[in-house]
Amino acid sequence: MFGTIVSWQQTDKTVSIQFQHASASLLFLHDSLFRVFAPLKRDVFFSRAIDRLPETRLQCLNVQSVGKYIEIITASLIVRVKDDLQIDVYTSEGDLLCADYNEQRLPFVRRGNSELAKEEGHAVIEEARQYRTTIIKQMNGDEAFYGLGERPGHLNKRGCFYRNWNTDDPHPHVESYETLYKSIPFFITLTDKKAFGIFFDNTYETFFDFGKENDNYYYFAANDGNLDYYFMYGPQVADVIGHYTSLTGTTPLPQKWTLGYQQCRWSYPSAERVKEIATQFRSRNIPCDVIYLDIDYMDGYRVFTWNRETFPDPQGLITELAAQGFKVVTIIDPGVKKDRGYDVYEQGLANGYYATDADGVTYVNRVWPGDSVYPDFTSATVRSWWGDQHQSLLELGVAGIWTDMNEPASFNGPLPDDVQFRNDGYPTDHREAHNVYGSMMARATYDGIKKWTGKRPFVITRACYAGTQKYSTIWTGDNQSFWEHLRMSIPMLSNLGLSGMAFVGTDVGGFSFDCTGELLSRWVQVGCFTPLFRNHSAANTRDQEPWTFDERTEHINRKYIQLRYRILPYIYDQLWRSEKTGLPLIRPLMLHYQEDQLTHNLNDQFLCGDAVMVAPIVQQGQTVRQVYLPQGTWFDYWSKQVHSGGAYILQHAELDECPIYVKAGSLLPNNPPQQFIGDGDGQHLIIEYFPDYSGATSSYEHLQDDGETFAYQNGQYHLWQFSATCNDSEIRLELTKQSPDANWAETTSIGYKKIEWRIYDTSTTRVTVNGVVAEFQQSAHALVVLIDVP
């Protein structure tokens, strides 16, 4: 496509290359991060994932011609550009990281009568898929591949093929699915214990083959658009995620209530049923913060309306629920009912806010309301208008918005390729707009909520593109009440986290099919540790609220939902750090233990932050499982038994027990018991300490703020710093508090009055606080010291 190199020049941080048939450039943003760009579609920087390129942080950039290639040297990388835009990347020490494949593609031989197989309905793989643009990379042999967002199957995507084309498919998702609801064209390669990432910023239908076609190479490709990708080197996986989120953004700290337990169903059909659900939670002592209203709360599925027969007094309902500690989240779909006299439809039509066909006529398809039109969210004007539509809901007290059906979904066949979109000044068709439609809807919703409330918006979206983490949490769509979908959720959530999506979750218990008490019990044990903790079920399935099975299931749900509220300060802190680092809450073990090959394919364990490891039971009937403990010393969370890492153990776990382990040296902040976020005076914090007797000092920073506004970004918070040092003769614990905004600190009522230390695996006869002998309690597992905070 490009031909031989004709000339090149360096301008500041950019190396521009003229080839025989086309031009390309490499922009270096960091010693370990550069962009490869060829203007095959348009000669401008235009991205739906990157709002602006990060500031360049480059120590050095040396460029020279060496024989037939151009060599570019930074402090971390050696990049060689050859004819046909072939690019090889080495470490600064000269070790090959990533090289373009320069031999002919040779798909694996597939034998048999494919036409006959098709007749019976079998899926048949094409021998060699052809694309407009294809970048083929050489496979060195030991590569493991991660990321690419929401994908079924296992953690390591080696040997898999995927398409990025947001797809609403309610059928049971299985490992062979090439598409789902989200398109995040970013992946991480782990090879020779070093990690690098590639982000292919192209919103058209894109393709990723990780050695499925032939294990000598892997590739990424597109049917249209620019050649525009970023290469980022670690060598640690965390460094790669840091580079990626420096481009696409990090997840902002959510409101604290959004981390509580959430209950949803398609649908709670009336205000009376919603009140009944709320009463059950409180009377049964099961914590809950959120109740969702699915599509049936609307008048004929018209967005931004209420069914006044079944929800006659929305504000009264929301106020009554608020008095019990509940927030209400309502669903909003993009399809606007084609209905003369319906204000939202009329406004959009009068202003030309809807996508059109090739002749400029408003495009119509069918979704829940019947014939519907699609707002053109690729236009900033339309996004602003759509955001303002939420004012009426927000003024009633609606706390968050759930955006669904935004792939966009349609019932009368998919949207044609030639449906037109404004695209913020770069008019385009559906082929380019499809994968970002959900992201732009989420952005419009986020901006609207922020404008009308001033609080951190809670938006949950089903469809998205790279960078959506800046605006929305996501869930993994219409899963099923199958054990396989519980198993699949762990690598799926882990890969979403590696792809920049820090605030994620699944429908706990499964959306479709009928859940069982055992499955819900095991699923809630996973959901307890996921950022979004929502139980959701479909119409015509059995009730799935925690008390609708049997007493044992209700007890187990209560136990783990209460555990969630206990550890919520830790989860909140991790998401606060995520805003700064890009690291997710849910992490595969390879993120922190990439030099340990036993973690590279570990599908059924995960880390919650960096201190807690969860090894849930995900097989029906199982009560014993093998657990891998990586290097270090680990505490069994329940028994406080201490294990040495770098080994497998056999863990017994009855139905009410999820194997959980805490790394020695960890300090975990806990809440006292709560029924909802804000229940109680908020002046008592519990710190669990799991001693590390090596003599090393452990430290932890805990954020305390108002939990809902952006004031923390202006220094209005307390930063509590806890540290611990222990050896065989003494444990020394310290705490300090910093408050960047001194005026706020003097006037706010936010603050802890009591700190309760719980120290495990230790016993003593004497405790002093600031040199003064203090009271303490000693149990079989813990030493408890309660101190007053001046």
Side-chain angles (χ1 to χ4, degrees):
M1 175 188 290
F2 287 87
T4 58
I5 296 173
V6 175
S7 63
W8 64 271
Q9 64 176 8
Q10 179 184 356
T11 306
D12 193 20
K13 310 303 180 186
T14 301
V15 180
S16 301
I17 308 170
Q18 183 62 52
F19 293 89
Q20 188 177 7
H21 305 299
S23 62
S25 62
L26 278 69
L27 169 64
F28 286 79
L29 298 166
H30 186 279
D31 292 300
S32 301
L33 169 62
F34 64 91
R35 177 193 186 203
V36 180
F37 177 74
L40 307 181
K41 180 72 175 181
R42 55 175 72 98
D43 191 12
V44 293
F45 173 74
F46 182 74
S47 174
R48 287 305 190 184
I50 303 170
D51 291 340
R52 63 184 64 86
L53 290 172
E55 240 178 75
T56 300
R57 292 185 297 152
L58 200 60
Q59 294 182 42
C60 64
L61 186 67
N62 298 315
V63 189
Q64 60 182 342
S65 293
V66 179
K68 292 186 176 182
Y69 59 82
I70 303 166
E71 185 169 80
I72 307 166
I73 300 175
T74 73
S76 302
L77 299 173
I78 301 169
V79 182
R80 293 174 180 167
V81 185
K82 306 174 186 177
D83 292 343
D84 277 323
L85 195 58
Q86 295 267 310
I87 298 175
D88 299 343
V89 184
Y90 300 80
T91 67
S92 57
E93 293 80 22
D95 297 327
L96 180 64
L97 279 173
C98 176
D100 278 6
Y101 187 74
N102 54 23
E103 299 182 26
Q104 184 180 356
R105 283 173 61 185
L106 291 173
F108 290 120
V109 175
R110 299 185 181 277
R111 307 182 192 278
N113 189 332
S114 60
E115 293 305 314
L116 193 60
K118 285 180 183 178
E119 279 194 52
E120 196 188 352
H122 293 281
V124 175
I125 297 174
E126 300 171 23
E127 292 218 348
R129 307 171 200 245
Q130 300 298 323
Y131 318 99
R132 181 181 177 190
T133 304
T134 308
I135 303 297
I136 309 176
K137 300 292 184 181
Q138 175 181 309
M139 195 88 80
N140 296 320
D142 69 336
E143 289 90 345
F145 298 97
Y146 308 94
L148 220 63
E150 168 197 74
R151 300 292 168 180
H154 38 271
L155 179 68
N156 178 3
K157 300 306 183 185
R158 175 81 178 246
C160 297
F161 173 86
Y162 299 106
R163 291 189 299 126
N164 272 341
W165 189 254
N166 292 354
T167 302
D168 171 26
D169 188 342
H171 295 97
H173 306 144
V174 296
E175 193 171 323
S176 62
Y177 267 46
E178 295 178 354
T179 62
L180 276 177
Y181 304 97
K182 300 163 187 68
S183 295
I184 304 179
F186 166 71
F187 65 93
I188 297 171
T189 303
L190 185 56
T191 178
D192 192 28
K193 300 180 181 178
K194 302 182 186 73
F196 64 85
I198 292 176
F199 171 43
F200 185 29
D201 192 6
N202 185 311
T203 71
Y204 284 88
E205 185 176 20
T206 53
F207 309 84
F208 294 80
D209 187 306
F210 298 117
K212 185 175 182 64
E213 182 175 285
N214 188 310
D215 57 14
N216 289 325
Y217 55 80
Y218 59 101
Y219 69 76
F220 53 96
N223 281 333
D224 207 334
N226 286 331
L227 172 59
D228 192 355
Y229 74 90
Y230 297 79
F231 181 94
M232 53 209 80
Y233 175 50
Q236 299 300 310
V237 174
D239 299 328
V240 176
I241 297 171
H243 286 312
Y244 173 70
T245 54
S246 76
L247 294 169
T248 62
T250 60
T251 300
L253 181 65
Q255 290 192 61
K256 194 172 289 185
W257 63 263
T258 69
L259 302 176
Y261 177 78
Q262 306 184 11
Q263 187 65 51
C264 185
R265 183 171 176 84
W266 174 31
S267 285
Y268 294 128
S270 67
E272 293 308 310
R273 178 61 174 152
V274 172
K275 293 176 185 178
E276 179 187 345
I277 294 295
T279 299
Q280 290 287 346
F281 272 106
R282 295 294 178 253
S283 67
R284 294 174 182 273
N285 196 31
I286 301 174
C288 182
D289 264 86
V290 183
I291 298 177
Y292 283 72
L293 301 183
D294 209 321
I295 57 176
D296 292 305
Y297 81 92
M298 292 183 267
D299 176 16
Y301 308 125
R302 297 171 180 84
V303 290
F304 306 111
T305 68
W306 292 85
N307 182 333
R308 293 293 176 167
E309 292 185 7
T310 53
F311 290 86
D313 181 12
Q315 186 157 31
L317 170 66
I318 293 170
T319 301
E320 183 177 334
L321 291 172
Q324 301 175 67
F326 290 98
K327 303 288 194 299
V328 171
V329 173
T330 54
I331 196 170
I332 293 290
D333 294 334
V336 174
K337 184 174 179 62
K338 182 183 177 184
D339 184 11
R340 287 294 183 182
Y342 169 35
D343 185 51
V344 177
Y345 171 72
E346 295 284 13
Q347 284 182 34
L349 192 65
N351 289 286
Y353 287 164
Y354 301 121
T356 69
D357 65 18
D359 296 321
V361 178
T362 299
Y363 175 75
V364 179
N365 204 312
R366 187 172 64 87
V367 280
W368 302 122
D371 283 351
S372 302
V373 294
Y374 292 80
D376 180 1
F377 296 121
T378 69
S379 162
T381 301
V382 177
R383 291 196 297 272
S384 178
W385 167 74
W386 187 262
D388 286 344
Q389 298 304 309
H390 294 82
Q391 180 185 2
S392 61
L393 294 174
L394 299 169
E395 288 178 343
L396 291 174
V398 169
I401 299 295
W402 166 22
T403 63
D404 199 359
M405 303 291 287
N406 52 358
E407 290 71 31
S410 51
F411 295 168
N412 286 342
L415 274 64
D417 287 348
D418 64 354
V419 171
Q420 301 296 301
F421 294 85
R422 297 182 183 184
N423 206 28
D424 286 332
Y426 300 98
T428 192
D429 59 32
H430 180 239
R431 296 176 307 136
E432 185 176 12
H434 176 89
N435 282 337
V436 297
Y437 191 82
S439 292
M440 294 298 98
M441 182 185 183
R443 179 177 180 176
T445 307
Y446 178 94
D447 290 343
I449 296 175
K450 186 175 182 180
K451 173 182 176 180
W452 291 105
T453 70
K455 297 181 179 180
R456 308 170 208 166
F458 179 63
V459 182
I460 173 172
T461 186
R462 189 170 73 179
C464 76
Y465 181 70
T468 306
Q469 66 266 16
K470 298 188 291 289
Y471 316 116
S472 181
T473 178
I474 61 101
W475 91 107
T476 58
D478 293 348
N479 61 0
Q480 307 274 329
S481 297
F482 298 161
W483 285 92
E484 181 55 37
H485 278 210
L486 170 58
R487 287 190 288 274
M488 190 168 66
S489 70
I490 296 171
M492 185 178 281
L493 293 174
S494 296
N495 274 313
L496 277 164
L498 294 176
S499 304
M501 302 297 300
F503 196 176
V504 296
T506 64
D507 285 343
V508 170
F511 176 68
S512 295
F513 205 59
D514 288 331
C515 194
T516 65
E518 182 188 1
L519 178 57
L520 181 61
S521 296
R522 291 305 190 187
W523 211 316
V524 78
Q525 293 167 7
V526 174
C528 171
F529 296 96
T530 62
L532 180 67
F533 187 16
R534 180 180 81 156
N535 178 322
H536 182 34
S537 54
N540 298 313
T541 62
R542 65 159 297 167
D543 288 348
Q544 198 168 282
E545 292 77 24
W547 56 84
T548 58
F549 293 85
D550 51 53
E551 288 187 9
R552 189 181 191 193
T553 302
E554 179 181 343
H555 164 75
I556 292 168
N557 274 256
R558 182 184 298 108
K559 174 181 176 179
Y560 285 92
I561 295 172
Q562 288 177 345
L563 174 61
R564 167 56 166 245
Y565 281 75
R566 192 156 70 242
I567 64 173
L568 199 138
Y570 171 75
I571 291 174
Y572 190 66
D573 287 339
Q574 297 304 310
L575 289 170
W576 170 58
R577 294 185 181 91
S578 179
E579 183 176 3
K580 296 181 287 185
T581 67
L583 294 181
L585 177 69
I586 297 302
R587 308 174 184 180
L589 272 66
M590 50 74 62
L591 175 54
H592 288 292
Y593 302 94
Q594 71 184 54
E595 294 187 357
D596 183 349
Q597 291 189 347
L598 293 178
T599 68
H600 293 183
N601 297 287
L602 202 52
N603 294 291
D604 61 351
Q605 296 177 218
F606 63 91
L607 293 166
C608 179
D610 57 358
V612 179
M613 187 182 71
V614 185
I617 301 291
V618 291
Q619 301 280 354
Q620 187 273 332
Q622 188 176 15
T623 56
V624 178
R625 64 154 294 167
Q626 179 178 265
V627 176
Y628 180 67
L629 299 174
Q631 287 296 326
T633 301
W634 296 87
F635 281 76
D636 183 307
Y637 180 79
W638 303 110
S639 70
K640 306 304 184 289
Q641 181 181 355
V642 179
H643 299 277
S644 296
Y648 289 96
I649 63 170
L650 201 60
Q651 179 68 57
H652 186 82
E654 290 294 332
L655 183 57
D656 66 345
E657 186 169 328
C658 175
I660 305 166
Y661 305 87
V662 182
K663 194 164 189 178
S666 298
L667 294 150
L668 299 185
N670 279 213
N671 276 328
Q674 292 182 317
Q675 286 298 293
F676 55 89
I677 304 302
D679 183 19
D681 60 15
Q683 297 183 344
H684 184 174
L685 184 70
I686 301 163
I687 301 293
E688 294 184 298
Y689 176 50
F690 299 80
D692 175 4
Y693 289 100
S694 68
T697 298
S698 302
S699 60
Y700 185 90
E701 291 185 333
H702 168 62
L703 178 75
Q704 188 185 30
D705 72 331
D706 65 24
E708 60 179 26
T709 74
F710 289 94
Y712 74 98
Q713 295 181 345
N714 298 317
Q716 293 184 13
Y717 61 85
H718 301 309
L719 186 62
W720 297 83
Q721 296 175 312
F722 303 95
S723 66
T725 307
C726 70
N727 53 44
D728 292 337
S729 60
E730 181 184 60
I731 296 178
R732 183 178 181 84
L733 307 171
E734 295 184 4
L735 72 85
T736 59
K737 182 181 73 170
Q738 296 178 351
S739 306
D741 187 329
N743 292 331
W744 173 83
E746 288 180 3
T747 59
T748 185
S749 61
I750 296 171
Y752 297 120
K753 301 301 183 184
K754 293 186 180 295
I755 301 289
E756 179 181 328
W757 291 91
R758 293 183 182 174
I759 308 157
Y760 298 113
D761 192 38
T762 192
S763 60
T764 189
T765 57
R766 186 170 183 267
V767 171
T768 63
V769 176
N770 295 327
V772 178
V773 175
E775 294 183 356
F776 65 93
Q777 294 180 344
Q778 180 80 61
S779 69
H781 294 310
L783 173 72
V784 179
V785 182
L786 184 65
I787 65 171
D788 294 321
V789 179

